[in-house]
Amino acid sequence: MNSREEQLKAFDRLLTIMDELREECPWDRKQTMESLRPLTIEETYELGDAILDKDIEEVRKELGDLLLHLVFYAKIGSESNDFDIADVANGICEKLISRHPHIYGDVKVENEEDVKKNWENLKLKEGKKSVLEGVPGSLPALVKASRIQDKVAGVGFDWEEPQQVFEKLEEELRELQEEVNMADKDKMEAEFGDVMFSMINYARFLKINPENALERTNKKFIARFKYLEQKAAENNIALKDMTLAEMDVYWNEAKKL
């Protein structure tokens, strides 16, 4: 691994290159925070894919792309004299110190849950009116539900045992089935949302990240379906002409790979 001196030298090199690109490259010179935003979101998802795929080399590359974006935003901020990269770094340093009084102060904690509760309580003392203010409105619904539950649990609004959450999930499933039987679309959708929210909550108690779990299943399904397509093509058969039983043969083969 590189020494701290080498790490700082590499970061300085990136800052210098960013200065040069902003000055000399027509594309880089044209960018704004608004134009970079969708690209940053895309890069974040690409990093997420690399992490789930356990592709360490790709993780390294995607982290570089995200680091470039962070430096880019700071460069734009410096051009309007609003902030620069030092302000960004010092800001997060001060936040980390103030939010970790068990490291930089005399507060005692016993475990991770104590740390999370202190974190949320400190945010309220800093002037936030709600613990949910830190949940971005533009988050995908599944991720947002997970973050909401984490936030409220941090101030004690939570179940005590996983079994209680599972029983709540069973209750929501029964209510969903009742609305399905009544064929009321709006109420079905509402109850389906409750089921998903309860599932995400149960995942939290099981220490499972629901977003990661679902994406792993997505990837697994894609791989198996592509195998099915490949086998159908090898046999010169169109999928639409195959029976479910025929498809199931290849599907079960794919599950063994």
Side-chain angles (χ1 to χ4, degrees):
M1 289 290 97
N2 295 296
S3 66
R4 178 57 61 86
E5 180 181 0
E6 290 169 327
Q7 292 170 359
L8 292 174
K9 183 178 180 181
F11 191 65
D12 180 68
R13 182 186 180 199
L14 176 59
L15 292 177
T16 299
I17 290 174
M18 184 73 259
D19 289 343
E20 294 169 346
L21 294 179
R22 189 67 173 169
E23 181 68 27
E24 303 175 22
C25 175
W27 186 89
D28 290 281
R29 190 165 57 239
K30 184 180 179 181
Q31 299 313 304
T32 65
M33 291 189 183
E34 289 76 13
S35 69
L36 288 174
R37 178 181 177 276
L39 302 178
T40 306
I41 294 172
E42 180 180 336
E43 295 294 354
T44 303
Y45 277 110
E46 289 178 358
L47 172 61
D49 284 343
I51 292 172
L52 285 181
D53 292 339
K54 299 186 185 302
D55 188 336
I56 297 301
E57 179 61 19
E58 198 62 25
V59 169
R60 180 188 66 79
K61 293 178 181 178
E62 296 300 340
L63 283 172
D65 290 340
L66 269 182
L67 181 57
L68 169 62
H69 280 241
L70 299 179
V71 169
F72 211 147
Y73 287 117
K75 176 62 178 176
I76 294 173
S78 71
E79 293 169 352
S80 57
N81 292 318
D82 290 314
F83 62 85
D84 63 17
I85 194 66
D87 296 318
V88 174
N90 284 325
I92 189 60
C93 286
E94 294 303 322
K95 179 189 287 187
L96 289 172
I97 290 170
S98 67
R99 298 274 179 87
H100 289 77
H102 54 289
I103 302 296
Y104 301 103
D106 55 7
V107 172
K108 303 297 181 183
V109 296
E110 297 295 330
N111 49 45
E112 174 192 357
E113 292 304 314
D114 286 349
V115 174
K116 291 169 67 174
K117 288 178 181 178
N118 280 341
W119 183 280
E120 297 302 338
N121 287 325
L122 284 167
K123 289 170 70 173
L124 290 176
K125 290 179 180 179
E126 291 170 2
K128 292 187 179 297
K129 296 180 180 179
S130 170
V131 296
L132 298 178
E133 284 185 21
V135 180
S138 58
L139 278 179
L142 191 151
V143 180
K144 185 187 293 186
S146 184
R147 293 299 294 138
I148 288 171
Q149 292 167 8
D150 279 340
K151 293 285 187 181
V152 299
V155 291
F157 188 79
D158 205 4
W159 299 93
E160 295 179 352
E161 301 291 339
Q163 183 59 31
Q164 295 173 308
V165 188
F166 187 73
E167 290 170 0
K168 180 62 176 176
L169 172 60
E170 291 181 314
E171 175 188 324
E172 297 294 355
L173 282 167
R174 288 192 296 270
E175 292 177 0
L176 171 60
Q177 188 58 54
E178 289 172 5
E179 297 304 338
V180 170
N181 293 339
M182 297 296 292
D184 186 317
K185 191 66 175 292
D186 287 340
K187 291 183 179 179
M188 285 165 55
E189 182 178 283
E191 293 299 338
F192 191 86
D194 290 347
V195 168
M196 292 188 68
F197 196 84
S198 295
M199 280 290 295
I200 293 166
N201 211 12
Y202 190 47
R204 181 171 59 86
F205 271 81
L206 297 179
K207 307 299 182 185
I208 293 172
N209 183 299
E211 173 72 17
N212 290 351
L214 181 57
E215 183 56 20
R216 287 182 187 279
T217 295
N218 288 340
K219 288 178 177 292
K220 180 170 59 178
F221 184 92
I222 289 170
R224 291 174 180 175
F225 192 80
K226 285 184 175 180
Y227 178 86
L228 169 61
E229 290 178 315
Q230 174 191 334
K231 289 300 180 181
E234 289 175 0
N235 290 280
N236 296 315
I237 304 174
L239 285 180
K240 63 182 180 63
D241 295 328
M242 296 177 67
T243 66
L244 286 177
E246 291 171 329
M247 290 183 183
D248 204 41
V249 171
Y250 294 128
W251 188 265
N252 287 326
E253 288 180 7
K255 289 170 66 174
K256 297 177 182 178
L257 296 179

